[in-house]
Amino acid sequence: MTVPADGLPERVTIYEVGPRDGLQNEQAIVPVEVKAEFVRRLVAAGLPIVEATSFVHPKWVPQLADAHLLMTELGEAGRHLPVLVPNERGLDRALELGLEHVAIFGSATETFATKNLNRTFDEQFAMFEPTVARAREAGMDVRAYVSMCFGDPWEGAVPIEQVVAAGTRLLDLGASQLSLGDTIGVATAGHVKALVSAFVDAGVGTDRLAMHFHDTYGQALANTFSALQAGITTFDASAGGLGGCPYARSATGNLATEDLVWMLTGLGIDHGVDLDAVVATSAWMAGQLGRPSPSAVVRALSGSAG
Amino acid sequence: MTVPADGLPERVTIYEVGPRDGLQNEQAIVPVEVKAEFVRRLVAAGLPIVEATSFVHPKWVPQLADAHLLMTELGEAGRHLPVLVPNERGLDRALELGLEHVAIFGSATETFATKNLNRTFDEQFAMFEPTVARAREAGMDVRAYVSMCFGDPWEGAVPIEQVVAAGTRLLDLGASQLSLGDTIGVATAGHVKALVSAFVDAGVGTDRLAMHFHDTYGQALANTFSALQAGITTFDASAGGLGGCPYARSATGNLATEDLVWMLTGLGIDHGVDLDAVVATSAWMAGQLGRPSPSAVVRALSGSAG
């Protein structure tokens, strides 16, 4: 039954990260033709934005070593899909292919910047500067992920002002949108509202913010509801909850696209996604990966025994 | 990090249903001494109310056929714990044992009343009347579950006024509290607010309402956050998410106590529960059942590989 709630947006954009953030965190190496079909099916299901892959060095993420091949396989249709570019070398590959959207991946904490980017907190912005500048010159749109926006495994709780500082510096470089990531899933609903408020107070409108929640502690959808109330209209999600193994100790999975769609539909919020088509796609991909989907909605609707 | 949100209660009471609603829906038959230890550990973990079992006919629920034995085993400590009594025969057994709290289980829909109680919607109240009256005469406190408050597998969406009618009739019989159940897990956050508002409009204060969410479609915690905003201060939950097999097609599990505790702690809402103790108890019980816990928090914190 559809029952709207007060003060929520009329329409939400789902930014699908399954093929990139999902598959990057799965153990299995998926064949490129399966990835291409996965992307095509997600686009066909009405997902307005599907991040296809990452031009990261295969040494770091062997799961996405076929990034160039995948984008070639997708052809003209792939040119509209965003890809992650960790640095200028990644951007070069996106430029060669004539892609229109790229994403960079920053950190809200010193420790994660050091471990993931091999840069200090401050140095990361110097590293991103030429990447963003050249992408913008080429007419590309640039999204900036900000990871560890709520907690960090080494530093614990992350101060809100530090996240706002990281985010505004990335916007100042020329990014059009920030994706605020709860990379380890420790956010709760009040923290979400406080972070969004701090960005708004710093002059960053909710139209430039997306939320990227992980379900490690089961909080992703409660946090989404809280973010909706704070005016957020773009949410990252991963088809079938891809990226979090339901059996692993740290099931750091992304919010499942299907669980998000179910809530939005119940709230009467327009999203444009065909739920049954996404469920069928995720059930098919779970079969490819040889294990059940972590998404509650996929389990309930697909009958794939998990 | 603890970050409160506006307009939420300062304190919440968790009504633990794992030993009854959880084990009733597990396939395994758990030995009575394991059940007794389960109950004792949950009480020791600070859960203020632990529903211990149900005096239902073993033909219907063989998992709880040892109800009398369990309550005898728990002895004096068990007298303060609520038990479900489906009818006067169940009440007789609670009276013999000198128990102080019982719960009855009504239905918001005609079809489920017929299937579960073998009564029409109206007839169920006539059936409950002597049970509640005799319990109250004996000085017992009576809680009334209302099942299928949002959707019903046969009737679809359940009209809010029908739920309010069922609930107010159970309160009029002498119940002190209603537990409004989303038995098949189809509620979303706006529907929750609308139902609570309708009860308040009908003169039933939020202090007489508890919410009982299932996580079938991943919505339980988002619905809880919505209910907190509507002023609800009592929530049913099941340790480890007991009652929903993570592998089954219809994982109709209860909201996991640990996931609820995690959110309440993050919001700075007092609950009095020792999270580590509940996690350890649920991990132990998952071992007894021979399968992983469906609770995200238990998986993340216990290292029990699910």
Side-chain angles (χ1 to χ4, degrees):
Chain A
M1 191 156 93
T2 295
V3 185
D6 291 339
L8 302 187
E10 288 182 15
R11 185 172 176 81
V12 151
T13 300
I14 300 178
Y15 186 107
E16 171 63 45
V17 297
R20 197 275 302 168
D21 194 18
L23 291 180
Q24 166 177 333
N25 290 295
E26 293 285 336
Q27 295 216 321
I29 307 281
V30 177
V32 68
E33 56 273 21
V34 172
K35 287 180 183 170
E37 183 172 349
F38 186 40
V39 170
R40 288 192 197 102
R41 287 178 71 161
L42 292 170
V43 170
L47 284 156
I49 311 175
V50 179
E51 193 168 283
T53 187
S54 170
F55 287 134
V56 65
H57 196 289
K59 180 172 148 192
W60 306 120
V61 186
Q63 290 91 337
L64 304 184
D66 58 2
H68 192 93
L69 200 59
L70 173 63
M71 297 315 291
T72 309
E73 169 82 19
L74 289 170
E76 182 58 28
R79 289 183 52 196
H80 313 295
L81 307 178
V83 297
L84 191 69
V85 294
N87 48 37
E88 285 195 80
R89 286 184 301 285
L91 178 66
D92 289 338
R93 299 168 70 189
L95 288 167
E96 283 165 26
L97 287 160
L99 306 187
E100 296 167 4
H101 304 272
V102 291
I104 59 173
F105 195 82
S107 170
T109 71
E110 184 77 36
T111 314
F112 192 62
T114 308
K115 289 183 182 284
N116 192 54
L117 306 170
N118 202 26
R119 297 287 188 287
T120 67
F121 179 82
D122 282 326
E123 285 169 358
Q124 68 178 319
F125 304 105
M127 177 181 83
F128 290 132
E129 188 173 15
T131 309
V132 178
R134 288 180 52 211
R136 292 294 303 279
E137 279 167 27
M140 282 175 163
D141 175 71
V142 181
R143 168 184 242 224
Y145 286 97
V146 187
S147 53
M148 304 294 174
C149 288
F150 297 90
D152 172 298
W154 306 278
E155 302 184 17
V158 178
I160 285 175
E161 56 274 20
Q162 190 173 313
V163 182
V164 173
T168 49
R169 286 176 77 169
L170 292 165
L171 289 173
D172 289 347
L173 291 180
S176 63
Q177 182 183 65
L178 300 176
S179 169
L180 305 175
D182 182 19
T183 315
I184 59 170
V186 296
T188 43
H191 198 165
V192 171
K193 278 198 168 68
L195 182 62
V196 175
S197 291
F199 269 103
V200 171
D201 290 347
V204 180
T206 51
D207 57 322
R208 302 188 75 186
L209 300 175
M211 302 305 301
H212 182 110
F213 292 122
H214 280 208
D215 213 23
T216 321
Y217 299 90
Q219 309 294 312
L221 215 44
N223 291 342
T224 300
F225 185 60
S226 182
L228 284 168
Q229 294 179 323
I232 299 292
T233 57
T234 300
F235 290 90
D236 296 3
S238 173
L242 218 59
C245 174
Y247 306 134
R249 172 171 181 173
S250 54
T252 54
N254 290 285
L255 170 62
T257 305
E258 293 87 346
D259 299 10
L260 172 60
V261 167
W262 183 276
M263 185 173 80
L264 294 175
T265 301
L267 289 166
I269 296 173
D270 190 18
H271 51 70
V273 177
D274 178 343
L275 178 61
D276 290 341
V278 186
V279 168
T281 302
S282 294
W284 164 78
M285 180 52 87
Q288 297 288 327
L289 294 168
R291 57 122 182 99
S293 165
S295 159
V297 170
V298 173
R299 286 200 303 267
L301 296 185
S302 76
S304 72
Chain B
M1 191 156 92
T2 294
V3 185
D6 290 340
L8 302 186
E10 287 180 15
R11 186 174 174 79
V12 151
T13 300
I14 300 178
Y15 186 107
E16 170 64 45
V17 298
R20 196 276 303 169
D21 194 17
L23 291 181
Q24 165 178 334
N25 289 297
E26 293 285 337
Q27 294 215 322
I29 306 282
V30 177
V32 69
E33 57 273 19
V34 172
K35 289 180 181 168
E37 184 172 348
F38 186 41
V39 170
R40 287 192 198 103
R41 287 178 69 160
L42 293 170
V43 171
L47 285 156
I49 311 174
V50 180
E51 192 167 282
T53 187
S54 170
F55 286 134
V56 64
H57 196 289
K59 181 171 148 191
W60 306 121
V61 186
Q63 290 91 337
L64 304 184
D66 57 3
H68 192 93
L69 201 57
L70 173 63
M71 297 314 291
T72 309
E73 169 83 19
L74 290 170
E76 183 60 26
R79 288 182 54 195
H80 313 294
L81 306 178
V83 297
L84 191 69
V85 295
N87 49 37
E88 285 194 81
R89 286 185 300 285
L91 177 67
D92 289 339
R93 299 168 71 190
L95 287 167
E96 284 165 25
L97 287 160
L99 306 186
E100 295 167 5
H101 304 272
V102 291
I104 59 173
F105 195 83
S107 170
T109 71
E110 184 77 37
T111 313
F112 192 63
T114 308
K115 289 185 182 283
N116 193 53
L117 306 170
N118 201 26
R119 297 287 189 287
T120 66
F121 179 81
D122 282 326
E123 285 171 358
Q124 69 179 319
F125 305 105
M127 177 181 83
F128 289 132
E129 187 172 18
T131 308
V132 178
R134 288 180 51 213
R136 293 292 304 277
E137 279 167 28
M140 282 173 162
D141 175 71
V142 181
R143 166 185 244 224
Y145 286 97
V146 187
S147 54
M148 304 294 174
C149 287
F150 297 89
D152 171 298
W154 306 278
E155 301 183 14
V158 178
I160 285 175
E161 56 273 21
Q162 190 174 314
V163 182
V164 174
T168 49
R169 285 175 77 168
L170 291 165
L171 289 173
D172 289 345
L173 290 179
S176 62
Q177 182 183 65
L178 300 176
S179 170
L180 304 175
D182 181 20
T183 315
I184 59 170
V186 296
T188 43
H191 199 166
V192 171
K193 279 200 166 68
L195 182 63
V196 174
S197 290
F199 269 102
V200 170
D201 290 347
V204 180
T206 51
D207 58 321
R208 302 188 76 186
L209 300 175
M211 301 305 301
H212 182 110
F213 292 123
H214 280 209
D215 214 23
T216 321
Y217 299 90
Q219 308 294 311
L221 214 45
N223 291 342
T224 300
F225 185 60
S226 181
L228 283 169
Q229 293 179 322
I232 298 293
T233 57
T234 301
F235 291 89
D236 296 3
S238 173
L242 218 59
C245 175
Y247 307 134
R249 172 173 181 173
S250 54
T252 55
N254 289 284
L255 169 62
T257 305
E258 292 88 346
D259 299 10
L260 172 60
V261 167
W262 183 277
M263 183 172 81
L264 295 175
T265 300
L267 290 166
I269 296 173
D270 190 18
H271 51 71
V273 176
D274 177 344
L275 177 62
D276 289 341
V278 186
V279 167
T281 302
S282 294
W284 164 79
M285 181 52 86
Q288 297 288 325
L289 294 168
R291 58 122 183 100
S293 165
S295 159
V297 170
V298 173
R299 286 201 302 266
L301 296 185
S302 75
S304 72

